[in-house]
Amino acid sequence: MKNKLFIGSVLLGSIVFPNIALAVPTEEILEQIDNYQPSQNQVTSVSQLRDVSPTDWAFEALRSLVENYGCIVGYPDRTFRGNRALSRYEFAAGLNACMQQMERLIASSQSVMREDIEKLKRLMAEFETELATLGARVDNLEGRIAFLEDHQFSTTTKLSGEVVIGLASIFNGQKDGGRRNIEQVPVLGSRTRIELSTSFTGQDLLYTRLATGNFPDFSVPAQTQQASLAFSQPDDNDVSIEVLNYNFPISENITLWLEGAGGAFDDFTNTLSILDGDGGSGALSSFGTRNLVYYQGEGTGLGIEGKLGQFGWSLGYLATDGNNPERGNGLFNGAYGILGQIGYYPNDKFGIAFAYGQGYNTFGIGENTRSFADIVADSPIDTSHNTYAVTMSWQLSEKFVLGAWGGYSNVRTLNSFSDGNVNISRGSSDSWYWAATLGFPDLFKEGSLGGIIVGMQPWQTNSTIRNNGVKLDKDDTSFHIEAFYEYAITDNIKITPGVIVVTNPANDSRNDPLVIGALRTTFTF
């Protein structure tokens, strides 16, 4: 990638002129001029340049130019780099910048030294050809900008999109206590997202996501959420507004989120996972994408996030059927989830966060387990949950990131249920889960990503819930092992082969291991 251009400076006589690049071929210099965007870090005092001292022979000339004309911006690291060579086109660009600054001063009736004007005239005559070329390029650039402004999608909205095409199959696995094999049928499906990002003030953001797709959810044939892939979109190609939210700052360090539709806790909560690409990139499985606590709630509601020094925090409330006016639904009378998190982020390489989730009929985690799913989740029983979780990410080197998360959840049945041979009592159930992740950014090629996930799917360790007077069984442990390699063909096309293995699927040792292979191709635009 080309470096952004920043105005430096060169010395000729007693006048210093900005330069924009190293001495390189003419066409590249002209291309840089086309792409040039001025820096905002204007130097107002020569003392701001770290590599210039009062003992330098050009110090007085520099100080005079900065104070009188303000032609120097400097490089982003606040250096002058006065010993660098430059081409005639670079010099012409710098000369043009000072010429324009002097014109502004004269137009505003401010004084300009006559000797500087004379020197400027001589230099303009000597560099007439280069200045003419520069002027033509600037005119062409201004014409292209005007064209884009007249033909852009919107003055306030940016359009982007993502298309995922997935080829996948379950290659092995059993269900129903080993009595039946899971269907092993290869599938080819897709997920498409169109995103509209609108800003009215430059600080706020109205986010709208339209989505459609036909990639199936493998949890249906496997009869366990442990088989769910992160890019599943079983919508039968129907298009809908999947997400609609609006966020804006209410103070310097606090942002408020209004979730109108499809809200999720990870919208305003830092998940601290390099593998979290929301299905389009990163981990292939839902389990490997992020800590499961972030899945315990979705819908409409309110979120708030903020910073305090090296600490970050967030708090949110989401109602599953917040737009449903029927009894037992709505914003406050139906299923909901609450999540609060506080994180410590001393630098951009390390972070650790602690989260607490509470909710009504949004448990989710325990539905992976055999006894809870078979007995409770499919019955008309209301539940409440309390989940405690921790997540960590540590970039040990440029190409290696260590991650980990885990959690404990307690769910309670709020009513009993009786239907023929099923008689479920009120009680509580405890579940644990954890994962360790290895991320390898830029593996073999810039923009690529390798990942390994090893963890334990939610495991019920204790339960006082009874069915026909018998307590629910303690679950068998199900380990999750996943490996993938996301190869960047271009900046906008990535292909990801990977494999997922889950031992004792549905936390039942009678079931043979679940094996899923997937090949995901992602297009972004």
Side-chain angles (χ1 to χ4, degrees):
M1 295 178 63
K2 290 178 179 166
N3 294 325
K4 289 184 177 179
L5 305 178
F6 294 87
I7 296 179
S9 51
V10 295
L11 185 68
L12 183 65
S14 62
I15 301 180
V16 183
F17 299 98
N19 76 345
I20 61 171
L22 296 175
V24 293
T26 298
E27 287 304 315
E28 185 170 341
I29 290 295
L30 293 176
E31 183 179 354
Q32 291 179 347
I33 290 170
D34 281 352
N35 296 328
Y36 174 67
Q37 295 179 354
S39 169
Q40 301 298 315
N41 299 321
Q42 176 67 48
V43 173
T44 58
S45 171
V46 71
S47 62
Q48 294 175 261
L49 298 171
R50 296 189 295 107
D51 58 347
V52 175
S53 66
T55 58
D56 291 333
W57 65 274
F59 180 81
E60 289 300 326
L62 281 170
R63 185 172 66 175
S64 174
L65 186 63
V66 171
E67 294 176 355
N68 293 333
Y69 303 117
C71 287
I72 298 177
V73 174
Y75 288 87
D77 59 355
R78 289 296 185 184
T79 59
F80 175 71
R81 307 183 193 180
N83 293 324
R84 302 184 77 161
L86 77 163
S87 70
R88 289 180 63 88
Y89 281 101
E90 292 178 277
F91 188 91
L95 177 62
N96 184 65
C98 274
M99 180 176 66
Q100 292 177 351
Q101 177 64 7
M102 287 187 178
E103 289 175 352
R104 285 191 291 267
L105 292 174
I106 294 172
S108 60
S109 301
Q110 298 186 43
S111 62
V112 176
M113 295 178 63
R114 179 171 295 276
E115 60 179 293
D116 288 345
I117 294 177
E118 294 300 325
K119 290 177 181 178
L120 188 63
K121 288 180 178 179
R122 293 197 303 270
L123 290 170
M124 288 171 59
E126 182 177 349
F127 287 84
E128 181 179 4
T129 301
E130 288 81 5
L131 288 172
T133 303
L134 175 63
R137 284 299 180 105
V138 171
D139 290 342
N140 290 338
L141 180 60
E142 290 176 348
R144 293 202 299 270
I145 291 173
F147 177 84
L148 290 174
E149 288 178 344
D150 291 338
H151 294 79
Q152 62 183 325
F153 172 74
S154 169
T155 58
T156 59
T157 302
K158 177 182 178 182
L159 173 67
S160 59
E162 178 189 80
V163 175
V164 176
I165 298 177
L167 173 65
S169 178
I170 295 175
F171 290 97
N172 189 70
Q174 291 181 320
K175 55 187 176 181
D176 294 337
R179 291 188 296 271
R180 291 195 297 159
N181 291 327
I182 300 174
E183 293 83 347
Q184 301 173 20
V185 180
V187 297
L188 178 66
S190 66
R191 184 188 79 178
T192 301
R193 291 176 170 180
I194 301 297
E195 300 173 339
L196 304 173
S197 301
T198 304
S199 181
F200 304 101
T201 66
Q203 295 181 312
D204 63 338
L205 179 64
L206 175 65
Y207 176 78
T208 306
R209 186 170 80 202
L210 288 78
T212 185
N214 61 6
F215 196 91
D217 187 352
F218 280 173
S219 68
V220 176
Q223 295 183 1
T224 173
Q225 292 293 328
Q226 296 169 353
S228 180
L229 297 181
F231 54 92
S232 296
Q233 193 84 21
D235 293 341
D236 198 24
N237 290 322
D238 292 332
V239 181
S240 65
I241 296 179
E242 187 177 57
V243 178
L244 177 64
N245 59 51
Y246 178 62
N247 72 80
F248 58 94
I250 57 177
S251 70
E252 183 178 356
N253 295 315
I254 300 177
T255 301
L256 184 66
W257 290 71
L258 304 177
E259 299 282 358
F265 288 127
D266 60 287
D267 290 342
F268 48 84
T269 305
N270 188 348
T271 63
L272 280 173
S273 175
I274 190 176
L275 307 184
D276 187 351
D278 206 23
S281 61
L284 293 169
S285 70
S286 298
F287 177 84
T289 297
R290 62 180 75 103
N291 194 315
L292 299 183
V293 71
Y294 303 120
Y295 293 114
Q296 290 189 300
E298 62 179 3
T300 61
L302 189 70
I304 188 170
E305 63 173 330
K307 297 178 181 179
L308 184 61
Q310 296 180 333
F311 292 88
W313 57 271
S314 62
L315 179 66
Y317 173 92
L318 297 175
T320 305
D321 297 304
N323 63 331
N324 188 342
E326 297 179 358
R327 181 185 297 274
N329 294 286
L331 196 58
F332 301 110
N333 294 320
Y336 71 86
I338 297 174
L339 182 72
Q341 176 170 290
I342 184 169
Y344 175 60
Y345 316 113
N347 51 57
D348 60 357
K349 298 183 182 299
F350 178 81
I352 186 169
F354 301 89
Y356 167 70
Q358 193 272 335
Y360 171 73
N361 285 348
T362 53
F363 178 47
I365 289 178
E367 294 178 9
N368 289 355
T369 66
R370 169 169 53 97
S371 55
F372 195 91
D374 291 346
I375 304 300
V376 177
D378 295 332
S379 302
I381 291 182
D382 295 323
T383 64
S384 67
H385 73 264
N386 292 274
T387 301
Y388 307 85
V390 60
T391 306
M392 182 275 294
S393 178
W394 188 6
Q395 185 173 355
L396 297 173
S397 68
E398 289 186 359
K399 296 189 176 183
F400 178 57
V401 180
L402 175 66
W405 63 72
Y408 158 78
S409 192
N410 173 266
V411 60
R412 292 181 175 275
T413 54
L414 303 180
N415 60 286
S416 59
F417 172 72
S418 179
D419 183 15
N421 295 326
V422 177
N423 296 279
I424 303 173
S425 69
R426 298 180 62 175
S428 65
S429 174
D430 297 327
S431 295
W432 296 82
Y433 65 91
W434 60 266
T437 67
L438 305 177
F440 305 93
D442 298 329
L443 183 63
F444 303 130
K445 183 181 180 181
E446 183 178 357
S448 298
L449 174 67
I452 297 175
I453 302 133
V454 177
M456 185 179 71
Q457 295 273 358
W459 171 47
Q460 180 179 276
T461 58
N462 183 52
S463 176
T464 61
I465 302 171
R466 295 176 180 271
N467 179 28
N468 292 324
V470 180
K471 288 198 303 184
L472 299 187
D473 293 335
K474 179 179 178 180
D475 284 336
D476 299 315
T477 56
S478 290
F479 288 100
H480 179 104
I481 304 167
E482 178 177 350
F484 68 89
Y485 178 59
E486 181 178 289
Y487 178 72
I489 299 176
T490 69
D491 290 342
N492 301 100
I493 303 176
K494 296 183 178 181
I495 184 168
T496 309
V499 62
I500 301 165
V501 177
V502 179
T503 66
N504 302 329
N507 298 89
D508 191 339
S509 60
R510 295 172 296 178
N511 293 329
D512 285 348
L514 172 68
V515 179
I516 302 174
L519 180 65
R520 177 186 65 199
T521 304
T522 304
F523 306 87
T524 56
F525 53 92

